Amino acid sequence: MKGSRWFIIFIVAFLFIMFAIEYHLPKNFVWKPTFGHYDEQPFGCAIFDSLLSSSLPQGYTFSKKSLYQLEQEDTTQRRGILVISDNLRLSDVDVNALLKMAERGDKIMLVSTLFGRYMEDTLSFRSYYSYFSPMALKKYATSFLLKDSLCWVGDSAVYPRQTFYFYPQLCSSYFWGDSLPERVLAQKVLESNEFKYEIEADSLVTDSVTYMPVAMSRQWGKGEVILVSTPLIFTNYGMLDGKNATYIFRLLSQMGKLPIVRTEGYMKETAQVQQSPFRYFLAHEPLRWALYLTMITIILFMIFTAKRRQRAIPVIHEPANKSLEFTELIGTLYFQKKDHADLVRKKFSYLAEELRREIQVDIEEVEDDERSFNRIARKTGMDIQEIAKLIREVRPVIYGGRTIDADQMKVYIDKMNEIINHI
């Protein structure tokens, strides 16, 4: 027992030391964009959603419904719909639902690098898509190169013009086309050698610098459709990236005083799964290794204690049969009370039950005496006259209340036992 106690203490101390070492190791971030509501990695949206929930006075809620499902909801309250995805290819059903909501007075903000051809044809724009590489972002960040500029050019009466700076990998996509929507909110500054398309008439060209829209809006009915091509900025990293959170709040302010609903209906299913406690352990390396070490320790403990010392098994004696002693005790009580007739009455009831069960004869029915006596005699081999005499003498004791002495009781019981033994 003493050895087992020291073994357990050693295992607990080992786990504590390993957990402390893993906890203080540098944390490895996962730079894969998920935009998940429960993802606390740089390109998740756990901090983003939490901050907006506590900051927007009009209200900020979370949903997993599609645009079609949101449009089908019977509500008279106008609201802002926010969709964030890195590849938002909307079908014609989604686009039609989106436009119906905008026509009723809702404001829809779509944040993505791609929107689908039907959406682009409907609003007459095109989007330039740039593949995001986490390795390229890390390499660029460690090379201390200049960041790209995003210029806010929205309504100057509300917000003054301001330039925000982001890594190029976070804002590589932009809009272009022959007839862009009527109001540009933010533009990206491109050098002339970076621009891969012909310069459009709607683009502002100054010497070797080109300004391409990255955020714009289009009035539709009573509402508005807002398009943003920089989804990686709408993440935890974007919220914590210096003063650039101001850029996000300026874009969200275009929703006005409407309550905002962010939907995850167009994200990958893996990003929508709510993290269980077990999934939370696996998502963090120190906790993951602590879980692995715990499982290994339990397995080792089971292996080394499988052949433990067997304690002595107590001897369990078979319970003694006390039925005979109980019967003798009951008989003695009846004998001491001199209630001989009652004892004969119980013996007769037992005899009648045995005859009914074994040979289907009811000696309590007086009308069937002849048939019953003949059947008992054939079954037992006893004299029929002797059987008839016994039963007819016992009946007055059973039903008539006649008293008998001990000798008569013994004779009657012995005769009934003889019949039972011969069945």
Side-chain angles (χ1 to χ4, degrees):
M1 187 65 183
K2 185 177 180 180
S4 300
R5 186 185 301 111
W6 280 109
F7 177 75
I8 295 173
I9 293 174
F10 170 76
I11 293 299
V12 172
F14 176 75
L15 289 176
F16 178 78
I17 293 172
M18 291 301 299
F19 178 80
I21 293 174
E22 291 290 342
Y23 182 80
H24 289 89
L25 286 177
K27 295 179 175 58
N28 294 325
F29 293 106
V30 179
W31 295 89
K32 180 181 179 180
T34 64
F35 309 101
H37 181 63
Y38 302 97
D39 189 358
E40 296 181 355
Q41 292 296 330
F43 292 143
C45 285
I47 300 174
F48 175 86
D49 290 333
S50 176
L51 186 59
L52 292 184
S53 298
S54 59
S55 301
L56 298 181
Q58 299 83 9
Y60 181 85
T61 56
F62 179 76
S63 174
K64 293 186 179 182
K65 296 181 179 180
S66 65
L67 293 172
Y68 176 78
Q69 292 173 318
L70 292 173
E71 190 272 329
Q72 294 296 314
E73 292 180 350
D74 185 15
T75 176
T76 58
Q77 182 183 11
R78 298 301 98 209
R79 56 191 174 176
I81 308 296
L82 175 62
V83 183
I84 305 175
S85 176
D86 58 344
N87 191 351
L88 184 63
R89 297 182 181 271
L90 296 177
S91 64
D92 53 350
V93 175
D94 295 322
V95 174
N96 292 332
L98 179 153
L99 297 178
K100 287 181 182 178
M101 288 189 289
E103 191 171 358
R104 292 199 299 252
D106 293 336
K107 293 190 177 183
I108 319 297
M109 179 177 289
L110 305 179
V111 185
S112 178
T113 55
L114 288 175
F115 298 88
R117 182 51 59 91
Y118 188 81
M119 183 69 179
E120 292 181 352
D121 292 342
T122 303
L123 296 184
S124 302
F125 73 94
R126 290 291 181 266
S127 58
Y128 169 71
Y129 173 75
S130 177
Y131 175 74
F132 171 71
S133 173
M135 294 300 297
L137 174 61
K138 293 180 182 179
K139 184 177 180 180
Y140 194 93
T142 55
S143 62
F144 300 101
L145 297 176
L146 294 177
K147 296 183 178 181
D148 281 0
S149 303
L150 295 186
C151 302
W152 178 264
V153 294
D155 189 356
S156 59
V158 180
Y159 296 112
R161 294 202 172 202
Q162 184 177 350
T163 302
F164 300 91
Y165 299 95
F166 298 93
Y167 288 114
Q169 291 76 15
L170 305 183
C171 55
S172 298
S173 301
Y174 49 82
F175 301 109
W176 61 281
D178 294 331
S179 57
L180 293 176
E182 57 218 40
R183 191 160 67 102
V184 175
L185 301 175
Q187 295 175 332
K188 178 180 179 180
V189 179
L190 291 178
E191 299 296 333
S192 60
N193 57 353
E194 297 181 75
F195 190 43
K196 299 178 176 56
Y197 298 96
E198 295 182 4
I199 298 175
E200 306 295 337
D202 294 329
S203 302
L204 177 59
V205 181
T206 304
D207 297 332
S208 62
V209 177
T210 305
Y211 295 90
M212 299 303 297
V214 293
M216 55 191 184
S217 68
R218 170 76 174 272
Q219 289 295 128
W220 196 274
K222 298 179 181 178
E224 188 177 359
V225 179
I226 304 169
L227 304 175
V228 182
S229 65
T230 55
L232 294 179
I233 297 176
F234 283 69
T235 56
N236 302 329
Y237 180 85
M239 275 294 183
L240 303 176
D241 184 17
K243 299 180 180 180
N244 290 330
T246 305
Y247 174 75
I248 300 175
F249 281 103
R250 287 193 179 189
L251 289 174
L252 292 175
S253 68
Q254 303 305 308
M255 300 284 197
K257 296 183 178 181
L258 299 179
I260 298 178
V261 178
R262 184 172 92 86
T263 175
E264 273 190 343
Y266 298 92
M267 291 167 44
K268 296 179 180 179
E269 294 182 0
T270 54
Q272 300 183 44
V273 178
Q274 181 172 357
Q275 289 191 345
S276 63
F278 191 73
R279 185 181 295 273
Y280 180 82
F281 270 73
L282 295 178
H284 297 78
E285 188 173 2
L287 297 179
R288 181 168 64 248
W289 275 104
L291 183 63
Y292 292 160
L293 290 174
T294 302
M295 296 175 65
I296 293 173
T297 303
I298 292 174
I299 293 174
L300 291 175
F301 183 80
M302 293 174 64
I303 293 174
F304 284 104
T305 58
K307 296 182 179 180
R308 62 184 178 84
R309 185 177 301 173
Q310 180 65 50
R311 65 175 182 174
I313 301 176
V315 178
I316 300 177
H317 298 281
E318 183 180 358
N321 188 354
K322 302 292 184 178
S323 300
L324 181 60
E325 294 182 12
F326 177 76
T327 303
E328 291 177 352
L329 176 62
I330 297 300
T332 302
L333 291 177
Y334 274 95
F335 184 78
Q336 291 176 353
K337 290 175 60 178
K338 300 185 182 302
D339 194 356
H340 308 306
D342 192 27
L343 194 58
V344 172
R345 187 179 300 113
K346 287 180 170 51
K347 188 66 178 181
F348 184 80
S349 299
Y350 177 72
L351 172 65
E353 181 63 29
E354 286 291 313
L355 292 174
R356 275 193 295 267
R357 186 175 65 252
E358 298 294 336
I359 60 176
Q360 291 76 47
V361 170
D362 189 1
I363 59 176
E364 293 180 343
E365 293 291 336
V366 180
E367 293 81 0
D368 296 338
D369 278 353
E370 294 300 327
R371 186 182 68 82
S372 299
F373 297 158
N374 287 328
R375 189 172 179 81
I376 295 172
R378 288 197 305 270
K379 184 67 177 177
T380 61
M382 298 174 63
D383 183 47
I384 188 173
Q385 298 300 327
E386 184 179 359
I387 295 172
K389 179 181 177 183
L390 170 65
I391 294 176
R392 288 192 174 105
E393 288 182 359
V394 169
R395 279 175 177 166
V397 179
I398 303 302
Y399 304 114
R402 183 167 68 87
T403 60
I404 56 176
D405 55 21
D407 294 333
Q408 290 176 314
M409 176 194 70
K410 186 175 183 304
V411 171
Y412 292 151
I413 291 178
D414 289 341
K415 289 292 182 179
M416 287 187 282
N417 284 334
E418 184 179 357
I419 295 174
I420 293 173
N421 295 332
H422 284 81
I423 295 177

